[in-house]
Amino acid sequence: MNYDIPLRVRFAPSPTGSLHVGGLRTALFVVLLARKTGGRAVLRIEDTDRERTVPGAEEQLRQDLEWAGLEFDESPWNDGEYGPYRQSERLSIYQEYARKLVDEGVAYRCFCTLEDLERMREDQVARGTLPRYDGRCRRLTPEQVQEKLERKLPFVIRQKIPANRTVVFEDLVRGEIRFETRDLDDHVLLKSDGYPTYHLAHVVDDHLMEVSMVVRGEEWISSAPKHILLFEALGWSAPPYAHLPLILDTERRKLSKRAGDVSAFVEEFRREGFLPQALINYVALLGWHPGGDRELFTFDELSELFDIDRVGKAGAVFDISKLLHINGIYIREMPEDEYISQCRHRLAVSDISADTNTESQLENLFLLIRDNVSKFSDVPDLLRPYVHETEDMELEARLALDGPGIKDLLTEVADAVSRCEGFDGLVFKGVVKAVGKELSRKGRDLWMPIRAALTGRTHGPELHRIAEILGKESIVKRLRGRVDHISR
Ligand code: GLU
């Protein structure tokens, strides 16, 4: 693909709630193409379907995009020369074009009532044919139309789909696509309340806003022939289309509301403590194949390397474990002070009280668990074993404390630690080894019960690092507290 010409590309969401990862990917590819070519990224709010429009959703969308770091050059909030960018503010434009189409004989008024349409559908189903509008109002004479207009009957405007034509277009992702017009019905362009349908509104806007490439999800592909015919009917040329592959879940079904144990919406990823850069990095890989094994890219690298020619048509699997992996890498690479402040925030809003811990102890604990944090919502649970003397023991830890000689082991270690003059991780290691020698224990037999007693867990960071942060008194207290609960 030649990227020498600046592209005008648009993201055209309907405000129905938080942004889904599918929408995020479209928005990302749109912004990347605009940046790559020195063009313009346009955000247009498609809010003409009043039943689907959810109050507050536009603001949510704005926050989601801002959080993700996707900036649009033109939008309802960042006006440009082609506004308004909210379709509900452009109704008269669509009405004018709908009228023009009727005047030119490529669209017609349809006076069918909901009951008429329902009856038509039932008859078609009963006859075993595909339910669709049968075109009866297309055949009304000008006099009949006039008579109905005089009676002020409500009407919609439908597009006249030409019979027996093959619509062919070259999709930038999927190659040549063909549709037969006999499979399309005369769909509605303008509703009886004067609102356009998505089909009319977006075609008019893509033309008037001089959109030079349409990037959108594969679910719109079946509507594309209608759009191409509409461009034709209006005497305009259709922009090139790039229909992005579906996003699938790990069972290869279309990804819906959930992705593993998180929901598939930006708001939720944010709440769960994913970093926007990591999410963007991962989402870029959903369908785009950069070549080679590399999978970490900054936004600037993406805008340089992204190429619509390298977007595949096969469904892209959304794999939450891979996203967690990438997020973990970004968490380990982020500046330490930012990491600590995110941890602090997660702890503050959790059910854990860390009053007995000093500031520096907490910071050290945050750093201790850093390798295991794959999203910030993990922080409270990862900290739980270290912030207070916990009664919360995992079953494995309880089992590790159930054996002969464990009471003696813990008592000896507690006594030896309490006798230490200076104390740090190294001293702790030495003390444990000395007790082990005395009691003829080593390796797992020696370390596991101590870990279990100190943390209530059988896994975690290196024990001497934990011990150093907990400090002498807390260790003694934890070990002695545990001794009281075990029998041998
Ligand atoms: N408003 C449509 C949506 O909700 C946009 C489809 C398109 O990009 O043409 O996704």
Side-chain angles (χ1 to χ4, degrees):
M1 166 110 204
N2 173 5
Y3 290 110
D4 294 344
I5 304 160
L7 285 173
R8 282 185 62 80
V9 241
R10 81 336 186 247
F11 174 50
S14 298
T16 53
S18 174
L19 191 56
H20 187 265
V21 277
L24 180 67
R25 181 189 59 177
T26 306
L28 171 64
F29 287 5
V30 160
V31 172
L32 293 178
L33 286 166
R35 295 296 158 264
K36 186 182 177 81
T37 61
R40 307 277 286 173
V42 178
L43 178 100
R44 185 172 70 225
I45 296 287
E46 301 209 325
D47 57 351
T48 58
D49 187 340
R50 289 190 293 169
E51 272 159 39
R52 281 183 68 216
T53 299
V54 175
E58 188 184 306
E59 184 50 32
Q60 178 70 53
L61 195 77
R62 179 181 183 172
Q63 285 174 15
D64 290 345
L65 290 169
E66 248 169 44
W67 175 79
L70 297 182
E71 286 174 18
F72 286 83
D73 306 299
E74 298 166 32
S75 74
W77 323 298
N78 190 14
D79 210 5
E81 289 167 37
Y82 298 81
Y85 293 91
R86 207 177 271 115
Q87 287 187 328
S88 57
E89 293 165 17
R90 300 170 64 83
L91 298 181
S92 58
I93 304 178
Y94 312 125
Q95 289 159 1
E96 183 192 318
Y97 282 103
R99 223 171 353 234
K100 183 164 177 272
L101 287 166
V102 173
D103 292 346
E104 288 173 6
V106 281
Y108 60 93
R109 294 183 181 86
C110 164
F111 297 89
C112 291
T113 62
L114 281 180
E115 295 74 46
D116 294 336
L117 296 175
E118 187 49 32
R119 218 166 311 121
M120 188 186 305
R121 208 187 68 88
E122 280 166 12
D123 289 351
Q124 288 165 335
V125 172
R127 282 203 311 273
T129 55
L130 226 55
R132 65 168 55 179
Y133 184 65
D134 65 5
R136 62 180 70 166
C137 288
R138 191 171 173 160
R139 295 182 285 274
L140 292 176
T141 61
E143 294 71 34
Q144 285 170 316
V145 170
Q146 194 51 41
E147 181 264 329
K148 288 178 192 293
L149 286 177
E150 274 158 21
R151 279 167 55 208
K152 298 213 173 344
L153 294 184
F155 62 87
V156 301
I157 292 181
R158 290 183 184 270
Q159 184 177 2
K160 264 188 201 166
I161 298 289
N164 303 324
R165 256 192 60 188
T166 309
V167 180
V168 187
F169 69 99
E170 193 68 23
D171 188 87
L172 293 168
V173 172
R174 312 184 64 87
E176 187 183 281
I177 299 192
R178 298 173 159 263
F179 281 95
E180 299 302 328
T181 53
R182 64 169 171 274
D183 298 328
L184 308 173
D185 65 356
D186 288 352
H187 62 103
V188 176
L189 298 175
L190 197 75
K191 292 177 264 186
S192 54
D193 58 2
Y195 272 70
T197 57
Y198 152 71
H199 305 294
L200 175 66
H202 101 280
V203 164
V204 168
D205 286 347
D206 282 349
H207 176 76
L208 296 182
M209 295 183 178
E210 294 185 38
V211 168
S212 51
M213 184 192 289
V214 169
V215 178
R216 62 185 180 190
E218 189 180 304
E219 59 273 28
W220 298 105
I221 210 156
S222 56
S223 309
K226 291 180 188 169
H227 304 156
I228 288 170
L229 290 169
L230 197 49
F231 272 106
E232 203 180 282
L234 286 159
W236 301 332
S237 57
Y241 285 95
H243 286 96
L244 306 176
L246 287 180
I247 301 183
L248 308 173
D249 64 18
T250 42
E251 266 134 51
R252 304 199 67 83
R253 289 177 306 221
K254 186 175 175 204
L255 182 72
S256 59
K257 298 210 158 131
R258 301 199 68 75
D261 51 4
V262 289
S263 91
F265 294 90
V266 170
E267 188 190 17
E268 176 85 357
F269 289 111
R270 174 186 190 169
R271 196 171 327 125
E272 283 292 317
F274 285 87
L275 294 174
Q277 304 88 319
L279 183 62
I280 285 291
N281 186 149
Y282 178 65
V283 163
L285 302 172
L286 292 173
W288 171 60
H289 305 286
D293 297 333
R294 185 173 164 196
E295 52 182 24
L296 297 181
F297 299 91
T298 63
F299 183 83
D300 289 343
E301 288 166 339
L302 289 174
S303 15
E304 207 171 294
L305 298 171
F306 181 75
D307 184 349
I308 205 83
D309 288 345
R310 296 198 67 96
V311 173
K313 54 184 169 187
V317 174
F318 187 94
D319 179 355
I320 188 76
S321 58
K322 186 151 178 209
L323 170 60
L324 286 166
H325 168 73
I326 290 184
N327 201 51
I329 297 177
Y330 275 80
I331 288 179
R332 286 188 284 289
E333 284 177 356
M334 73 196 284
E336 196 168 291
D337 53 340
E338 278 173 36
Y339 167 76
I340 287 177
S341 96
Q342 290 251 22
C343 288
R344 215 185 279 288
H345 164 71
R346 291 283 162 169
L347 185 63
V349 298
S350 76
D351 61 338
I352 296 179
S353 95
D355 316 342
T356 52
N357 298 85
T358 63
E359 278 303 300
S360 75
Q361 198 177 29
L362 275 181
E363 283 187 11
N364 286 328
L365 285 173
F366 296 149
L367 296 174
L368 178 77
I369 60 169
R370 190 169 184 170
D371 283 349
N372 298 315
V373 179
S374 46
K375 56 181 171 27
F376 279 102
S377 61
D378 296 345
V379 165
D381 275 343
L382 289 170
L383 280 180
R384 203 178 293 276
Y386 317 117
V387 281
H388 47 100
E389 283 95 37
T390 172
E391 283 310 313
D392 140 58
M393 287 208 106
E394 279 177 5
L395 177 64
E396 287 85 358
R398 247 181 274 141
L399 294 176
L401 293 179
D402 183 23
I406 295 211
K407 200 166 177 155
D408 285 348
L409 169 67
L410 301 184
T411 313
E412 293 273 325
V413 174
D415 291 349
V417 169
S418 72
R419 283 194 303 267
C420 287
E421 292 285 321
F423 184 80
D424 63 15
L426 224 66
V427 170
F428 176 75
K429 232 174 172 168
V431 165
V432 174
K433 278 193 178 151
V435 173
K437 208 159 186 188
E438 199 188 309
L439 300 178
S440 308
R441 278 180 176 266
K442 56 180 187 203
R444 226 183 120 80
D445 276 353
L446 172 63
W447 291 97
M448 190 52 87
I450 301 174
R451 174 183 289 280
L454 282 179
T455 67
R457 304 282 184 274
T458 50
H459 298 283
E462 289 171 301
L463 201 54
H464 67 274
R465 290 179 62 205
I466 301 175
E468 178 158 326
I469 301 173
L470 291 177
K472 189 170 143 176
E473 268 148 49
S474 170
I475 291 178
V476 173
K477 203 161 157 207
R478 281 172 187 241
L479 293 175
R480 292 206 170 127
R482 207 59 83 188
V483 167
D484 296 342
H485 291 96
I486 48 184
S487 50
R488 40 183 188 154

